[in-house]
Amino acid sequence: SKELLEFFAGLGITIYEVYGQSEDTGPTTISMPGKVKFGSVGPVYPGVEMRIAEDGEILVRGRNVFLGYYKDPEATDATLVDGWLHSGDLGEIDEEGFLWITGRKKDLIITAGGKNVAPKNIEGSLKNHVLVSEAVVVGDRRKYLTCLVTIDAEASARFQEVQGTSGDPTADPALIAEIQAAIDQVNEGLARVEQLKKFTVLPRELSIEGGELTPTLKVKRNKVAENFAAEIEAMYTE
């Protein structure tokens, strides 16, 4: 996150980010000394072309782009179009040529009103709060956005000790109020269609065993929606 990069920079350690994928043998953009913006993944790598499609997807072309998937022409045709690699990522290029990642195309939420919302940055902002271990924004084909939140066990124990409360932290009014305050703060920086109207604190962490996380700890949104369908529906019950 931008905040983490700023923290390390405050210690005198500048982290240079590189963005790319296996299909372009590594680099699409690269941050370098004198070319760093915290939160951006830098300008385009030398010798590589990059542009943003109408739907916000990052497209890449160059000698580093692969020729296709082995014995899978259908997948190749879907990924390589007129020589451009369709990354599956969403982004924006600023006036100085720096790329800003805004989300994954497959994670894009389309509301009932037809508005496209990339949940990645919203979730990232919520996870900056010490109490929040995971946040999953929900709202595909819904009238408004909501969020499922899991609580960090160690942080919640410290919070309750300071507050003088005890018992199940997911039902602690003081802790719930703290999460609501965090969401209110995040909402202040969002467009109206992106704002979270309700949230639910889940009774447990997301897990690999439960099917909600991949082995590399990425959230499987479809599995989260399946396993916590009742909690999601409750947020849309008038």
Side-chain angles (χ1 to χ4, degrees):
S1 67
K2 178 183 178 183
E3 292 78 11
L4 189 61
L5 296 172
E6 290 173 337
F7 172 78
F8 277 104
L11 299 176
I13 303 171
T14 302
I15 297 176
Y16 300 103
E17 291 200 271
V18 179
Y19 162 73
Q21 57 195 121
S22 301
E23 287 83 352
D24 66 1
T25 55
T28 296
T29 64
I30 183 171
S31 297
M32 297 177 286
K35 292 186 178 181
V36 174
K37 289 184 180 182
F38 298 130
S40 163
V41 289
V44 68
Y45 192 85
V48 176
E49 294 180 74
M50 176 181 64
R51 64 183 177 90
I52 305 297
E54 289 185 5
D55 61 0
E57 186 175 11
I58 302 166
L59 307 184
V60 187
R61 186 167 66 179
R63 291 178 62 192
N64 59 319
V65 172
F66 79 150
L67 298 179
Y69 296 107
Y70 183 63
K71 294 185 177 180
D72 196 342
E74 186 175 331
T76 299
D77 290 343
T79 305
L80 281 177
V81 182
D82 296 328
W84 288 93
L85 169 64
H86 287 238
S87 68
D89 293 317
L90 301 172
E92 299 173 351
I93 302 173
D94 68 19
E95 66 283 353
E96 296 180 70
F98 283 72
L99 176 65
W100 302 75
I101 305 295
T102 58
R104 286 287 293 168
K105 188 174 179 179
K106 68 178 182 179
D107 293 338
L108 201 65
I109 293 172
I110 303 176
T111 67
K115 299 293 184 180
N116 292 353
V117 179
K120 174 179 175 290
N121 290 339
I122 303 173
E123 294 165 347
S125 295
L126 282 175
K127 288 167 65 176
N128 284 333
H129 195 287
V130 66
L131 285 173
V132 179
S133 58
E134 194 59 76
V136 181
V137 175
V138 178
D140 206 42
R141 298 184 297 277
R142 306 277 192 171
K143 290 187 293 184
Y144 52 84
L145 299 186
T146 60
C147 189
L148 298 174
V149 175
T150 60
I151 299 300
D152 182 272
E154 292 185 7
S156 63
R158 290 194 298 270
F159 178 86
Q160 288 189 304
E161 182 179 356
V162 171
Q163 295 292 318
T165 59
S166 60
D168 181 3
T170 65
D172 185 332
L175 191 145
I176 298 298
E178 182 70 14
I179 299 300
Q180 181 64 69
I183 287 178
D184 291 342
Q185 185 175 8
V186 169
N187 278 343
E188 288 178 4
L190 298 174
R192 186 177 182 85
V193 69
E194 298 174 316
Q195 293 177 357
L196 303 173
K197 304 303 182 186
K198 297 180 181 181
F199 74 97
T200 294
V201 177
L202 296 178
R204 64 171 177 84
E205 292 264 26
L206 304 184
S207 68
I208 297 173
E209 295 74 18
E212 301 100 7
L213 299 178
T214 69
T216 56
L217 303 184
K218 293 183 176 66
V219 174
K220 295 181 180 179
R221 293 179 183 276
N222 59 339
K223 200 65 178 180
V224 170
E226 178 184 326
N227 290 356
F228 300 102
E231 288 84 350
I232 291 172
E233 287 303 320
M235 291 189 288
Y236 292 96
T237 302
E238 299 296 338

